[in-house]
Amino acid sequence: MQTKLLQQGQIDEAISLLKAGEIVALPTETVYGLAADANNESAIKKIFIAKNRPTNHPLIVHIDSFDMIQEWTDEIPDYAYKLSENLWPGPLTMLLNKKHNVSDIITGCSTKIALRMPNNHLILKIIKSVGGALVAPSANTYKKLSPTRAEHVMQDLSGKISAVLDGGACSIGIESTIIDLTTKTPKILRPGSITKDMIETALQINIPEYQSHTEQVPGNMLAHYQPNTPCFLMTLSEIEDYIRDGEDYNIAVMHFSLFENDKVKLYPIASDRRGFAKTMYDILHNIDKSRFRKILIELPPKSWSDINDRLYKAQYNK
Ligand code: TXA
Ligand code: MG
């Protein structure tokens, strides 16, 4: 299959392909998603094949209006109204109890359904034109780096999907926060740029801190978001020692503090949390193209829970 790289002016072609049951990578504000018509099971199955993703990993359903929630759940808690009023469209995914007729292919046989209204005019327009929700996992091979530019998707999935719609670089750059609203107290399952504080302000309650966990639930793998080049999280002084004591300088260093070294290749990144998240995957994709032996990543502050979650999984090595 030849994958078409579509420009924004060709959005109608993306819509036609989706209506015809094909899979198309689309921009969102977080990362590019690999979309299919959420009401077309044979189209959804193509996503799992293209990504090489196990079928028990559920997909997020993307909607363009709050009313669409009713197609997916019969139980809309007050918290869902409050969060959507304050934070949708935006990088927040809500987990609710699914309606009985929702396809097990979407939920991986779970009784819960993940829903999100993305904040990107292209995907919102496409959902409206398709006339129903789109399922969309991140548009990357299972366990690999998420894409934040159309070219990242082309490098990874070209030949396996019908098209990529180029909407430029994603404005957030890290996957949505996932909050479980099926429990008495809402619980963050995946940290993102919508923080605990933002959720607490919207809900006017306290919720527990995100706990990284090793439960064997789909989507919570120890190894995930991985570049092809092995990467290691280290403090800047550990990185300095490592370079001083080592002999192999075929190394990339991604750092947010001021750092100079002429033996290795430096990849500076923004020192604020949002700036770091925005270009983190882009820089790692770039490093991967250059075939270094290792990537040393300056350890971010503990409070950057979303970034740490991704980077610890990126470095995990059995
Ligand atoms: O920002 C995002 O959320 C992006 C963009 C494209 O919207 N999507 C994304 O999808 O990150 P994906 O499939 O790469 O990650 C979704 C996560 C997975 O860890 C999946 O297991 C979890 O959401 N998830 C989805 N449905 C679920 C469900 N019913 N129960 C538990 N976890 C669920
Ligand atoms: Mg993903």
Side-chain angles (χ1 to χ4, degrees):
M1 171 189 310
Q2 184 158 9
T3 303
K4 291 180 185 167
L5 178 59
L6 303 174
Q7 300 307 315
Q8 294 192 28
Q10 297 169 291
I11 187 169
D12 288 346
E13 200 168 339
I15 293 163
S16 303
L17 286 166
L18 287 162
K19 281 185 175 171
E22 298 301 333
I23 54 174
V24 179
L26 303 176
T28 82
E29 79 280 34
T30 56
V31 299
Y32 274 71
L34 182 55
D37 177 348
N39 292 298
N40 182 337
E41 289 195 345
S42 67
I44 299 168
K45 284 180 187 162
K46 294 179 185 172
I47 291 179
F48 290 91
I49 295 167
K51 281 180 60 84
N52 198 21
R53 176 171 165 128
T55 51
N56 63 346
H57 283 241
L59 305 175
I60 297 174
V61 171
H62 294 65
I63 57 179
D64 74 332
S65 73
F66 186 78
D67 289 347
M68 262 172 119
I69 283 194
Q70 295 167 31
E71 292 171 30
W72 303 94
T73 181
D74 290 321
E75 300 166 36
I76 309 179
D78 280 348
Y79 290 147
Y81 288 97
K82 287 189 182 148
L83 288 174
S84 71
E85 268 164 32
N86 288 281
L87 300 167
W88 271 2
L92 179 73
T93 296
M94 298 186 207
L95 204 58
L96 301 173
N97 286 316
K98 76 166 190 175
K99 221 172 178 158
H100 68 280
N101 60 345
V102 170
S103 166
D104 281 338
I105 299 176
I106 296 178
T107 61
C109 295
S110 155
T111 56
K112 299 176 185 184
I113 181 82
L115 293 153
R116 149 165 144 81
M117 193 192 297
N119 188 15
N120 173 287
H121 71 285
L122 294 169
I123 190 170
L124 288 173
K125 185 173 173 194
I126 293 171
I127 297 169
K128 204 176 220 66
S129 304
V130 168
L134 297 174
V135 285
S138 53
N140 53 274
T141 302
Y142 179 58
K143 291 193 174 181
K144 291 295 181 184
L145 284 178
S146 295
T148 56
R149 292 178 182 275
E151 67 205 57
H152 301 158
V153 186
M154 286 301 276
Q155 277 153 24
D156 186 6
L157 296 178
S158 184
K160 297 182 177 170
I161 63 177
S162 290
V164 181
L165 178 65
D166 190 346
C170 299
S171 56
I172 302 282
I174 193 164
E175 301 82 354
S176 61
T177 304
I178 302 180
I179 182 132
D180 188 350
L181 298 182
T182 66
T183 45
K184 193 155 174 271
T185 306
K187 185 177 169 193
I188 294 175
L189 299 185
R190 179 174 72 183
S193 64
I194 300 285
T195 59
K196 172 179 175 286
D197 285 356
M198 291 160 82
I199 293 170
E200 288 182 334
T201 303
L203 298 182
Q204 294 292 300
I205 56 162
N206 294 322
I207 61 167
E209 201 73 54
Y210 166 71
Q211 298 286 338
S212 66
H213 57 106
T214 52
E215 277 170 49
Q216 289 301 298
V217 295
N220 187 42
M221 294 89 71
L222 292 168
H224 200 169
Y225 316 106
Q226 299 210 323
N228 296 321
T229 319
C231 62
F232 303 87
L233 282 163
M234 295 177 165
T235 63
L236 209 53
S237 66
E238 285 170 342
I239 291 177
E240 277 169 341
D241 293 350
Y242 186 92
I243 297 171
R244 195 192 50 237
D245 300 341
E247 281 156 16
D248 181 359
Y249 301 124
N250 186 20
I251 285 170
V253 176
M254 186 164 102
H255 61 98
F256 59 88
S257 304
L258 282 178
F259 182 57
E260 283 180 23
N261 192 293
D262 51 14
K263 289 187 179 149
V264 296
K265 175 83 174 141
L266 301 181
Y267 288 84
I269 183 166
S271 58
D272 64 291
R273 182 175 179 170
R274 296 284 59 101
F276 190 112
K278 188 172 174 174
T279 58
M280 171 180 85
Y281 286 132
D282 190 33
I283 293 176
L284 291 172
H285 276 286
N286 268 334
I287 294 174
D288 248 357
K289 281 196 287 196
S290 301
R291 303 196 176 281
F292 291 100
R293 201 170 55 82
K294 280 182 185 169
I295 312 170
L296 309 185
I297 303 175
E298 183 184 354
L299 189 65
K302 251 202 174 121
S303 60
W304 297 4
S305 53
D306 49 351
I307 291 166
N308 280 303
D309 170 65
R310 307 312 189 273
L311 292 179
Y312 274 100
K313 289 175 178 166
Q315 80 157 354
Y316 182 81
N317 189 6
K318 263 193 275 209

